[in-house]
Amino acid sequence: MQAENARDCFSELAFKEAVRASSKRSMRAVQLVRLGNPLEQADVPLPDIGPADALVRVTACGICHSDAHYRAGVSQIDSLPVTLGHEVAGLVESVGEKVTHVSPGDRVYVHYLVSCGCCSFCSGGDEQFCAKAQMIGKHWDGGYAEYIKVPGRNVFALPDEISFEQGAVMMCSSATALHALSKAHLKRGDSVAIFGFGGLGFSALQLSRAFGSQEIYVVEVNPTKLVSIAALGGVAIDAAAGDPVRQILEATGGRGVDVSLELVGSAVTMGEAVRCLGILGRAAIVGLTTESLALFPYSELINKEAELIGVSDHLAAELPLLMQLARSGKLRFPSGTLRSVDLDAMQINAALKAVDNSIDHIRTVIVPGT
Ligand SMILES: [Zn+2]
Ligand SMILES: [Zn+2]
């Protein structure tokens, strides 16, 4: 009888231990399982980390327009299922023995491109061209999950003044807006024209001001966004009210602007971004399109020595400056610009659908436990 009790007791303990171990080794995630279909709730193994990796407990993950493209099958995805989410901030859960710059419990943000770290592009600080680069949330399980495994060198300390939500969102559109302004060689006092006021335009307007631009025109058609542009100190140009190039030329006394950023991804706005340039102007093209772009080389480029510059992504080395600008309040996300949802497939699918239909706020952010 006693032996039987002991056996019962032992099996109960073993059962509890097995439950504890299994609950410790699995986590909730929201995954893309089939292209063109809604994301699915999943219970997946907690990732094991290697000596150079960090395991981060995700406290915020932005829902980006790119994720809607991945879900729709517009962008190439190598293997499924994959956990989406490339705009990630969180708390370090554990680190491998080679990771010494962050420790468990640290607030961190995650750079979304995992590159080899040793090819000529990586060594030269242009890791976005690394042939072995993998995008977190596309080629590598991302932040639509309770935890994410990333190389330690992709993890950086998030200053206390910056919320997890803001830190996460800055990893994509804000960082790329900063890179675009850098590629366009923006100088203090330069006038700027920004085409499109989504996440990129919202950051580009504030960053241009932070770098000393006083005269910033933002071209949009959404009436709510036109009001937000003015509230952030930009000159709203309503493209629905007439040719935006003519409006910008009139506002600049015929001079045109020093820098333009095309963030929409259409040949029409790309042409406008070139035509609104003044002498020695630089147009940085960020939006993606498969359309071809027609220009009059003499009048639109040669005669002004204007430059047309492609912009691809951003660099890990640019992120500390971005954090410094956010810390000093020069890049802000006022209330109402960010909204949160739980780590829940239904809520996330609804948010992705809303992004496809254009949203008035800047970003929806997954905050597990919301
Ligand atoms: Zn993004
Ligand atoms: Zn490389």
Side-chain angles (χ1 to χ4, degrees):
M1 190 68 183
Q2 248 180 4
E4 210 165 281
N5 275 347
R7 201 167 52 240
D8 280 352
C9 203
F10 172 77
S11 55
E12 194 179 325
L13 277 174
F15 176 72
K16 280 185 177 167
E17 177 57 29
V19 167
R20 196 191 64 76
S22 70
S23 65
K24 194 177 157 219
R25 298 205 58 78
S26 73
M27 65 171 186
R28 287 183 301 129
V30 172
Q31 294 194 308
L32 177 60
V33 180
R34 280 183 298 272
L35 297 180
N37 282 301
L39 304 187
E40 295 180 22
Q41 200 84 38
D43 211 27
V44 298
L46 190 71
D48 287 324
I49 59 166
D53 295 330
L55 184 68
V56 175
R57 180 157 72 82
V58 179
T59 52
C61 181
I63 296 178
C64 182
H65 206 171
S66 311
D67 298 335
H69 288 161
Y70 301 154
R71 186 181 70 158
V74 174
S75 306
Q76 173 83 29
I77 299 260
D78 307 329
S79 71
L80 294 172
V82 67
T83 303
L84 300 185
H86 53 272
E87 305 178 0
V88 182
L91 291 163
V92 175
E93 183 73 11
S94 57
V95 292
E97 74 248 24
K98 290 187 182 163
V99 179
T100 54
H101 67 295
V102 289
S103 309
D106 284 357
R107 305 172 85 249
V108 290
Y109 59 90
V110 175
H111 177 46
Y112 65 47
L113 198 70
V114 178
S115 53
C116 81
C118 51
C119 70
S120 62
F121 291 118
C122 286
S123 314
D126 291 312
E127 74 267 14
Q128 77 270 51
F129 303 117
C130 174
K132 292 182 181 160
Q134 290 186 298
M135 169 97 181
I136 288 173
K138 185 181 179 190
H139 312 113
W140 177 294
D141 281 330
Y144 288 17
E146 287 181 278
Y147 295 91
I148 183 173
K149 174 183 111 166
V150 281
R153 60 194 168 80
N154 280 61
V155 172
F156 303 89
L158 177 67
D160 288 341
E161 301 90 327
I162 303 172
S163 70
F164 287 117
E165 291 91 328
Q166 183 175 345
V169 169
M170 283 164 51
M171 291 301 97
C172 185
S173 51
S174 305
T176 303
L178 178 65
H179 185 62
L181 291 171
S182 160
K183 292 295 292 181
H185 308 293
L186 181 76
K187 302 187 302 294
R188 176 163 289 279
D190 275 352
S191 54
V192 179
I194 296 167
F195 290 78
F197 195 69
L200 279 154
F202 170 82
S203 295
L205 168 55
Q206 297 185 67
L207 293 171
S208 301
R209 281 175 67 87
F211 294 133
S213 294
Q214 307 289 338
E215 208 183 328
I216 306 160
Y217 304 94
V218 186
V219 181
E220 247 299 334
V221 287
N222 177 324
T224 308
K225 290 183 176 178
L226 290 167
V227 173
S228 308
I229 290 161
L232 282 169
V235 179
I237 301 284
D238 182 1
D243 178 10
V245 175
R246 185 183 49 74
Q247 294 186 61
I248 291 169
L249 289 174
E250 272 172 21
T252 55
R255 287 190 313 278
V257 293
D258 300 306
V259 164
S260 65
L261 303 183
E262 200 284 339
L263 311 173
V264 177
S266 109
V268 170
T269 40
M270 286 175 188
E272 290 167 350
V274 172
R275 288 199 299 281
C276 73
L277 291 176
I279 304 290
L280 299 173
R282 288 88 65 199
I285 305 297
V286 185
L288 305 178
T289 181
T290 52
E291 299 163 1
S292 65
L293 173 60
L295 293 172
F296 293 103
Y298 178 71
S299 58
E300 293 175 358
L301 290 175
I302 298 166
N303 199 32
K304 299 176 184 172
E305 286 204 349
E307 295 174 52
L308 181 56
I309 301 160
V311 177
S312 177
D313 246 319
H314 60 267
L315 308 167
E318 291 167 322
L319 298 176
L321 171 60
L322 196 64
M323 288 296 149
Q324 203 181 310
L325 292 164
R327 210 172 174 181
S328 62
K330 289 178 175 160
L331 175 60
R332 296 180 304 112
F333 287 74
S335 68
T337 53
L338 302 180
R339 294 186 189 163
S340 59
V341 293
D342 201 355
L343 178 58
D344 172 81
M346 211 187 318
Q347 291 183 44
I348 294 170
N349 281 313
L352 286 167
K353 190 175 173 197
V355 164
D356 260 342
N357 295 332
S358 171
I359 50 174
D360 289 339
H361 65 289
I362 297 302
R363 264 297 190 274
T364 301
V365 184
I366 299 166
V367 178
T370 292

